[in-house]
Amino acid sequence: MANLFGRTRPMDAARLVPTGETIGSYTSYLDAQKAVDYLADEKFPVQHVSIVGNELKMVERVTGKLSYPRVALTGAMTGAWFGLFIGVLLSFFDGTSGTSGGPYLNVFTAVLMGAAFWMLFAIIGYAAQRGKRDFTSTNQVLASSYDVIVTPDVAMEARRLLAQLPMTSTAPRPGPQGYGQPPARPNGWHDPYGQPPAQPEPAEDDHTRPGQAPLSGPRRGQFPDLPDGRPQYGIRVDTPAPAEPEAEQ
């Protein structure tokens, strides 16, 4: 449907939940409002910003107990204010302003009549309820958290500005691969700034110097021979047998 300016506007656009990226999540509406006010002060295009409340709850707070005297007093006060308003309006169009006490008398009469009629109506209405609601209360709609959402094209600038605001937010911080939680580390990855891994204690047959990691691999005399029987490294030298001691003459 086209308007006077020739633009087309969807009829259900106001009924849809705003979509975009969450740049801040707060437990109080005043904190979310403060964040949007800060963006407005920094010349940010706030027409891209929306505040969305999550898990809405209706809270009714009881303020007191009703009774006939209280109902009558409340009705009389409401009627008096209404009568004062009507009396002041009539005093501007009253032709007897030259007489003594003319406008003031009309205002006083309007206040009394308003108080009397409103008190009567309030008592009749309270009696018609027959004690089904003998208390006064106030209604309020609250949410468990409030998200500040912006369109994706200006999300980076909004995050940069809100990072300068000293407020606590539970929104996800940007990670190495986008926004959200960082990816899991590989199993073989070691933190170069963390604690060094514990070195195993060297065995008794390890010929290592103090502070040196134990050697790995085959030790001396443990290299296998070639398939033809020759040694794999070096030349095999047969150890001569010890000479027998000569017999004593």
Side-chain angles (χ1 to χ4, degrees):
M1 181 177 181
N3 52 20
L4 298 177
F5 300 97
R7 299 179 180 178
T8 303
R9 182 179 180 181
M11 299 182 62
D12 296 338
R15 302 179 182 178
L16 299 178
V17 178
T19 58
E21 297 187 14
T22 302
I23 62 173
S25 183
Y26 307 92
T27 57
S28 174
Y29 176 77
L30 296 179
D31 293 341
Q33 181 180 350
K34 183 178 180 181
V36 178
D37 289 339
Y38 180 79
L39 293 177
D41 295 339
E42 296 295 328
K43 310 302 181 182
F44 182 81
V46 291
Q47 61 269 17
H48 301 279
V49 183
S50 302
I51 300 178
V52 179
N54 303 318
E55 299 179 5
L56 299 181
K57 299 179 181 180
M58 190 194 71
V59 180
E60 182 177 3
R61 293 184 172 89
V62 179
T63 58
K65 185 179 183 302
L66 282 179
S67 59
Y68 280 101
R70 184 169 183 176
V71 170
L73 179 60
T74 304
M77 293 179 61
T78 305
W81 280 108
F82 183 75
L84 178 63
F85 174 72
I86 297 298
V88 171
L89 288 181
L90 293 178
S91 64
F92 293 138
F93 304 98
D94 191 3
T96 61
S97 58
T99 61
S100 59
Y104 300 103
L105 182 61
N106 294 337
V107 173
F108 183 72
T109 303
V111 170
L112 291 181
M113 293 182 63
F117 280 105
W118 243 260
M119 181 175 61
L120 180 62
F121 293 152
I123 293 175
I124 294 176
Y126 177 69
Q129 295 182 359
R130 297 180 179 180
K132 293 181 180 179
R133 187 179 176 86
D134 289 342
F135 60 91
T136 58
S137 62
T138 57
N139 296 331
Q140 187 179 13
V141 178
L142 299 177
S144 59
S145 62
Y146 298 88
D147 297 338
V148 179
I149 299 177
V150 299
T151 54
D153 53 343
V154 292
M156 292 295 297
E157 180 66 15
R159 282 191 174 91
R160 185 186 67 81
L161 294 175
L162 283 186
Q164 305 173 5
L165 186 63
M167 291 179 58
T168 303
S169 173
T170 58
R173 296 293 182 182
Q177 298 181 358
Y179 295 94
Q181 298 296 332
R185 296 173 178 175
N187 295 329
W189 187 88
H190 298 286
D191 188 2
Y193 301 100
Q195 296 293 334
Q199 298 291 343
E201 296 182 359
E204 296 180 357
D205 57 347
D206 289 342
H207 303 281
T208 57
R209 295 191 302 268
Q212 182 181 4
L215 301 177
S216 60
R219 301 293 185 269
R220 180 182 300 177
Q222 297 180 359
F223 300 100
D225 295 339
L226 297 176
D228 55 357
R230 293 180 301 166
Q232 185 174 1
Y233 300 101
I235 300 176
R236 180 178 293 109
V237 178
D238 297 335
T239 304
E244 296 181 359
E246 296 181 358
E248 296 181 359
Q249 296 297 332

